Amino acid sequence: MSSAASPLVRCAGCGATNRVPAERLRDDPHCGRCGAELLPGHPVALGDADFERVVAASPVPVVVDFWAPWCGPCRQMAPQFAQAAAQLKGRALFVKVNSDDNPRTASRYAIRSIPTLVKLRGGQEVDRVSGAMPAAQVAAWATR
């Protein structure tokens, strides 16, 4: 079986690399080491220590919400972001990065305002948008 047919998915929980057949990515795959969902229907908190490891080889698009706890629009958008994650379970990985606590990752993506959403494919930025959005708009943006 080729790696194209079975992409590698890094577990956000324990860091283990899991081979998941492409046709099974939407079937709620779990980590073979710790049992955590590999493509959960909720945002995953990542930081400077684990961001690259998890998103670099993701077989699905990664939608990153750069936010901070003191930011009113960030807090307002959080449930909308979670709702979009649930809608796109298995089709995209939704990640939250607290830009105050993770300055290296925020700096790498030149985050100047929050909330900012960054879409990654193959670990590379393909699009970004700033400002709070409703769940339907987040999901539409994430899948285009």
Side-chain angles (χ1 to χ4, degrees):
M1 185 177 297
S2 76
S3 62
S6 294
L8 300 176
V9 181
R10 284 284 189 128
C11 177
C14 71
T17 301
N18 294 263
R19 188 174 301 278
V20 180
E23 66 275 5
R24 303 290 314 265
L25 288 173
R26 294 187 185 183
D27 293 343
D28 199 22
H30 286 74
C31 177
R33 180 188 294 165
C34 73
E37 289 181 277
L38 293 174
L39 299 171
H42 58 81
V44 175
L46 296 178
D48 288 344
D50 54 5
F51 183 84
E52 265 316 302
R53 171 178 52 85
V54 173
V55 305
S58 176
V60 296
V62 178
V63 180
V64 185
D65 176 15
F66 286 94
W67 71 288
W70 52 262
C71 169
C74 298
R75 290 192 318 269
Q76 181 183 13
M77 192 177 84
Q80 302 300 314
F81 191 73
Q83 186 177 347
Q87 291 173 5
L88 297 178
K89 181 177 181 174
R91 296 189 294 164
L93 177 61
F94 280 69
V95 171
K96 292 187 72 74
V97 175
N98 180 329
S99 57
D100 286 347
D101 292 344
N102 300 285
R104 190 175 71 221
T105 304
S107 176
R108 176 174 180 224
Y109 289 94
I111 301 303
R112 302 286 180 251
S113 65
I114 52 175
T116 292
L117 300 183
V118 175
K119 183 170 34 174
L120 307 170
R121 282 199 182 105
Q124 300 299 311
E125 181 176 341
V126 294
D127 201 5
R128 77 170 47 206
V129 63
S130 292
M133 298 185 292
Q137 191 175 351
V138 173
W141 175 80
T143 56
R144 68 177 164 133

